Amino acid sequence: MMATKFFERRSLIDPHGDRYLDNFLDSYWNLYVLMTTANSPDVSLPAFRSEQAFFFFFMPFSVITTFILMNILLAVVYKTLQNAPTGGGKSGRGYYPKQFD
């Protein structure tokens, strides 16, 4: 929400010619892509081209989400899978049916 308020009056244009970070859904999606580092230059470079001071928004966002938020998410998934029942049997393979033994 902060990104939408911060960028909506700037009329930024992405490389495809579309408006950039001008509504909540677009901001949410682009910042999600930046968080997963799937295609991060396409998210931050249009803003950097207009004003390099946007570095002070994108760099802390990238650091916080990549190194803190993603690690918390990974820890939750790991803990959930660690506590999952394994099925017990002699083979020790968990939920695999006997057809695969």
Side-chain angles (χ1 to χ4, degrees):
M1 185 135 164
M2 186 174 94
T4 303
K5 292 295 180 190
F6 189 63
F7 291 110
E8 71 183 349
R9 297 185 192 138
R10 310 243 188 237
S11 298
L12 299 174
I13 305 296
D14 70 0
H16 305 291
D18 300 327
R19 289 191 49 124
Y20 173 72
L21 297 174
D22 62 338
N23 60 33
F24 179 74
L25 187 61
D26 185 43
S27 298
Y28 182 80
W29 178 254
N30 282 319
L31 293 177
Y32 172 74
V33 169
L34 182 65
M35 179 182 77
T36 61
T37 65
N39 204 5
S40 55
D42 285 348
V43 175
S44 57
L45 284 181
F48 288 151
R49 286 189 188 117
S50 70
E51 189 173 334
Q52 291 185 354
F54 289 136
F55 170 82
F56 295 109
F57 173 80
F58 285 109
M59 183 51 80
F61 178 83
S62 296
V63 168
I64 289 169
T65 57
T66 302
F67 296 114
I68 297 174
L69 208 61
M70 293 299 279
N71 283 332
I72 291 171
L73 179 65
L74 179 64
V76 168
V77 169
Y78 176 76
K79 189 70 170 173
T80 302
L81 290 176
Q82 187 179 21
N83 293 335
T86 58
K90 291 182 181 179
S91 66
R93 294 187 185 187
Y95 290 118
Y96 293 124
K98 294 196 180 242
Q99 295 92 329
F100 296 111
D101 281 342

